[in-house]
Amino acid sequence: MKLLNSKPFFWLLLSLPAFGFLSMWINGATNTDGKAIEEILLHPTGEFAARFMIIAMILTPMRMLFPASGFWRWMMKRRRHIGVAAFGYAAFHTLLYIVDMGTLRAMLGEFFALGIWTGWLALFIFLPLAVTSNDYSLKKMGRSWKPLQRTVYVAALATLVHWIFVHNNVGPALVHFIPLAGLETYRIWRNARPRNASLA
């Protein structure tokens, strides 16, 4: 239990996929189509960014669904770590994109495509969320901390649009985001109920 509750160990778990991606990138592996390693890794790094974001977002509704669960209580204590990991994978994803594109002109040439600018929007929203995901920022920002963190919902929508329009494939994106939408709908409904609704 000491190992499981260790912050360095939890960060190690969150970093395991990144170690694999870095190893592939350093070794410069290519697939049978001859694609550059940066292009090969673009999709999986983006997926992990989205998955960690979704995991961080579903923790509150899952905690509401299972208030007696020790697992979800344990996960809630690590929500900020997971959110920062989401930003880390998003930053890695962006770095690979920049390297793959090669030039600023190439990047600007497709910037206004719906699937591209929404990805940049999500990244720029993630940045202040990651920077302020610590006890010091929570104390200093006070009541303004939660409104800032709630902008993650805009980032989630931008991530969904980015995923769909970059890959022209709705299915995999919806597999990830429909459970999130369902759980967030439940959370909103639960919070909107009168406190004495269960006594009626």
Side-chain angles (χ1 to χ4, degrees), residues 96-118:
L96 290 167
Y97 168 74
I98 293 171
V99 173
D100 185 54
M101 293 300 291
T103 66
L104 179 61
R105 176 177 290 183
M107 292 169 56
L108 292 175
E110 66 174 24
F111 178 81
F112 291 103
L114 183 59
I116 300 300
W117 70 260
T118 48

Side-chain angles (χ1 to χ4, degrees), residues 1-157:
M1 287 303 298
K2 282 186 177 180
L3 183 62
L4 287 175
N5 289 321
S6 166
K7 286 185 179 180
F9 180 73
F10 191 69
W11 277 116
L12 176 63
L13 290 178
L14 295 174
S15 301
L16 285 177
F19 292 145
F21 296 146
L22 280 171
S23 176
M24 290 178 64
W25 195 22
I26 291 170
N27 291 326
T30 57
N31 65 3
T32 55
D33 296 330
K35 291 183 178 179
I37 187 62
E38 292 82 13
E39 186 177 355
I40 296 169
L41 292 178
L42 269 174
H43 185 57
T45 51
E47 278 193 351
F48 269 95
R51 287 167 183 163
F52 280 126
M53 177 194 66
I54 290 169
I55 291 170
M57 293 178 71
I58 68 170
L59 292 181
T60 295
M62 291 301 291
R63 183 79 175 89
M64 294 168 73
L65 276 169
F66 305 102
S69 170
F71 172 76
W72 292 112
R73 185 164 53 249
W74 183 84
M75 287 289 287
M76 278 291 290
K77 292 179 180 178
R78 289 151 182 83
R79 179 169 58 177
R80 279 184 276 171
H81 299 73
I82 299 169
V84 172
F87 170 74
Y89 283 94
F92 190 11
H93 175 70
T94 305
L95 175 61
L96 290 167
Y97 168 74
I98 293 171
V99 173
D100 185 54
M101 293 300 291
T103 66
L104 179 61
R105 176 177 290 183
M107 292 169 56
L108 292 175
E110 66 174 24
F111 178 81
F112 291 103
L114 183 59
I116 300 300
W117 70 260
T118 48
W120 284 108
L121 175 63
L123 178 72
F124 289 134
I125 293 174
F126 277 144
L127 179 58
L129 301 186
V131 170
T132 58
S133 289
N134 53 73
D135 293 335
Y136 176 80
S137 296
L138 177 59
K139 182 178 179 180
K140 283 292 184 181
M141 295 178 66
R143 291 183 178 180
S144 62
W145 188 83
K146 276 194 174 180
L148 174 64
Q149 294 295 318
R150 288 191 184 112
T151 59
V152 71
Y153 295 104
V154 180
L157 180 59

